Amino acid sequence: MPKRILHRVNTALARHLPEQRLFLRSDTETRFIRLRPLTQALVLSSSGLVLAWTIIATAILLMDSIGSGTARDQAARKQSVYETRLDTIARERDARAEEAVAAQERFAVALQQVSTMQSALLDSEERRRELETGIDVIQSTLRRTMGERDTARTEAKVASAALAGEVEATGLARTGDLVATLDILSNTLGETAAERDQKIAEAEVSRAETETIAYEKRLMEERNDEIFNALEDAITVSMDPLDKVFKSAGLNPDDLISQVQRGYSGQGGPWTPIAMSAKNDPTASVDEARAARLLEGFDRLNVYRIAAERVPLAMPLQSAFRFTSPFGTRWGRLHAGIDLAGAYGSPIYATADGVVSHAGWMSGYGRLVTIKHQFGIETRYGHMAQIRVNVGDRVSRGDRIGDMGNSGRSTGTHLHYEVRTGGSPVNPMTFIKAGRDVF
């Protein structure tokens, strides 16, 4: 039965693949090999499959090569955009800092002007009170003098009537006395009236000066209010992004501020009398209270700046690199950092101010540098080719601490970067993404 099937297959294939004979000739004999149609079909099919597999494998290799080149181009473009964004944010930060310094200077000048105007106003008020007191005295004297004048007139009339019945000599003498008395009273009344008019004129001038000073004070208060509003807006605009930065990095801003203030709390100098703070003085003006709040805001902003220098918000690499492994579970175990692949010997930089606590070989990490920062934060830089710091060195953000390499348990040149808080590893990308709002 199988022979009959093979015969039919050979017969059907013979129309397209006729039977061939391959002759093998030697010195003594000649042999041949029969190539049936089925055998030829099997050989051709096998050759076709091999050829098709070769074409497909070649295409796959070409596509993979083209795809990897495109990925590198995309990574380069993303790196360029990231660097541009960092430059823009740095310029914006510098501009905001310059605006804050200029606003603070304008605020100091405005406070000095307000103090001068207040002193002038107090002097004017003092002069006005003195003038009012003088006018009251003059009016009292004038009323007393007018009363004395009326009494003198009455006495003069009585004396005139009495003179009609007395001796002429005695009457003449009394009349002379009365005339002299009347002359003295008239002169006194004239002088008093002149003084009164002069005091009234001075009071009018003082009132006009007081109104002018009050108007200038209102203008100064309006300018101060504009300055206060601008400063409060600037502080709010500068403070909100920093709050979001520290919260997104998993840090409590209030705890950071309290720790920085404890570290920067030095005091001293001679004791001198000072005025009561506007914060605790219930009689302080609204402007003084707003000024106190602004000073507190500037202090908080300065503390934020100090804290930002001590939190690892920067990138450890400034050269071209490729992100090859994220933070998280890998092959059933925790990958406690991120892997950044780049050229052998690429510079590695500290991401925040701190003290080097380890600089040497560690199993798995190879050549490792560990930096302890404030707030219980620690960063690790593994698989280095060369270490450029020693244990105990103080480093600042941006200081070069080593070169990228392939030491330890590693499959290629890259940097293993870790961030730990309280001894526990956290995702470094949380800090790096938060740092985009600062640097």
Side-chain angles (χ1 to χ4, degrees):
M1 186 68 178
K3 291 182 178 181
R4 295 176 62 183
I5 294 173
L6 291 175
H7 178 71
R8 290 181 180 180
V9 171
N10 286 324
T11 302
L13 293 175
R15 300 174 184 176
H16 305 285
L17 298 172
E19 181 177 319
Q20 302 291 331
R21 293 186 180 184
L22 181 62
F23 288 90
L24 302 175
R25 184 176 181 181
S26 64
D27 295 337
T28 58
E29 57 182 350
T30 301
R31 297 181 179 181
F32 66 91
I33 299 175
R34 296 175 59 185
L35 297 176
R36 298 179 179 274
L38 181 59
T39 304
Q40 296 179 39
L42 292 174
V43 171
L44 290 175
S45 299
S46 301
S47 300
L49 290 174
V50 171
L51 179 61
W53 179 83
T54 303
I55 293 172
I56 292 172
T58 303
I60 290 173
L61 291 175
L62 289 174
M63 290 175 66
D64 184 60
S65 176
I66 294 172
S68 63
T70 303
R72 285 193 296 270
D73 294 340
Q74 292 177 354
R77 287 194 295 272
K78 290 181 179 179
Q79 177 68 17
S80 177
V81 171
Y82 177 74
E83 292 176 352
T84 303
R85 173 62 177 166
L86 289 178
D87 294 338
T88 302
I89 292 174
R91 288 194 296 271
E92 291 178 356
R93 180 199 61 186
D94 295 339
R96 290 290 171 78
E98 292 175 357
E99 291 176 0
V101 171
Q104 193 169 9
E105 292 176 352
R106 291 196 300 272
F107 174 69
V109 173
L111 284 181
Q112 183 65 30
Q113 293 177 352
V114 169
S115 177
T116 303
M117 294 298 295
Q118 286 179 344
S119 299
L121 183 60
L122 290 175
D123 294 338
S124 176
E125 287 291 331
E126 187 68 25
R127 290 196 303 271
R128 184 179 63 81
R129 285 195 295 269
E130 291 176 355
L131 290 174
E132 289 178 350
T133 303
I135 291 172
D136 291 339
V137 172
I138 292 171
Q139 288 178 347
S140 299
T141 304
L142 182 59
R143 284 193 295 269
R144 186 177 65 254
T145 304
M146 291 177 68
E148 292 176 353
R149 182 196 63 181
D150 295 336
T151 303
R153 285 179 178 178
T154 303
E155 292 178 352
K157 290 180 181 179
V158 173
S160 298
L163 286 174
E166 294 179 358
V167 183
E168 184 177 353
T170 305
L172 291 174
R174 291 183 177 180
T175 301
D177 293 337
L178 289 174
V179 171
T181 302
L182 289 174
D183 290 338
I184 294 172
L185 290 174
S186 298
N187 293 331
T188 303
L189 288 173
E191 294 175 357
T192 303
E195 286 185 20
R196 179 196 63 186
D197 295 338
Q198 182 181 359
K199 295 297 183 182
I200 291 173
E202 291 179 355
E204 291 295 333
V205 173
S206 298
R207 186 177 295 107
E209 291 181 354
T210 302
E211 292 177 354
T212 302
I213 292 174
Y215 176 71
E216 293 178 353
K217 180 183 178 183
R218 287 195 298 272
L219 293 179
M220 182 63 68
E221 289 175 350
E222 292 177 359
R223 288 196 294 270
N224 288 345
D225 187 63
E226 293 177 359
I227 294 173
F228 281 131
N229 290 334
L231 290 174
E232 289 169 351
D233 293 341
I235 289 177
T236 301
V237 170
S238 302
M239 198 82 69
D240 289 345
L242 292 172
D243 279 330
K244 293 179 181 178
V245 164
F246 291 120
K247 290 179 181 177
S248 63
L251 302 173
N252 189 324
D254 293 332
D255 292 343
L256 289 178
I257 289 175
S258 62
Q259 292 185 42
V260 172
Q261 288 176 341
R262 286 196 298 270
Y264 291 81
S265 59
Q267 296 180 348
W271 294 101
T272 56
I274 60 173
M276 183 178 291
S277 172
K279 181 179 178 181
N280 300 319
D281 186 3
T283 62
S285 65
V286 177
D287 288 346
E288 291 174 344
R290 294 180 71 180
R293 289 195 297 270
L294 284 174
L295 292 177
E296 290 179 359
F298 281 122
D299 181 65
R300 186 180 180 91
L301 191 62
N302 186 50
V303 171
Y304 269 156
R305 179 187 62 79
I306 295 173
E309 293 293 333
R310 286 152 179 76
V311 176
L313 301 176
M315 283 290 296
L317 299 177
Q318 298 179 7
S319 55
F321 65 89
R322 180 186 176 196
F323 186 79
T324 56
S325 183
F327 175 88
T329 305
R330 185 176 69 179
W331 304 322
R333 301 180 64 182
L334 176 64
H335 183 237
I338 58 174
D339 290 341
L340 307 173
Y344 189 89
S346 297
I348 299 173
Y349 303 96
T351 55
D353 298 354
V355 178
V356 178
S357 61
H358 180 87
W361 189 274
M362 181 178 286
S363 177
Y365 289 97
R367 295 183 181 88
L368 172 71
V369 170
T370 302
I371 301 176
K372 286 190 175 296
H373 311 280
Q374 289 189 356
F375 319 120
I377 301 176
E378 176 185 278
T379 53
R380 296 184 177 185
Y381 312 79
H383 308 307
M384 288 188 178
Q386 182 179 358
I387 296 175
R388 297 180 179 268
V389 291
N390 299 311
V391 174
D393 288 351
R394 287 189 173 275
V395 296
S396 301
R397 172 183 282 117
D399 288 350
R400 186 172 182 177
I401 59 175
D403 303 336
M404 186 183 296
N406 190 25
S407 59
R409 189 168 60 247
S410 171
T411 60
T413 301
H414 74 286
L415 167 66
H416 175 82
Y417 176 60
E418 288 186 16
V419 177
R420 293 174 176 256
T421 59
S424 301
V426 296
N427 191 351
M429 292 305 299
T430 301
F431 288 83
I432 293 174
K433 291 178 180 178
R436 294 175 181 174
D437 296 329
V438 178
F439 306 108

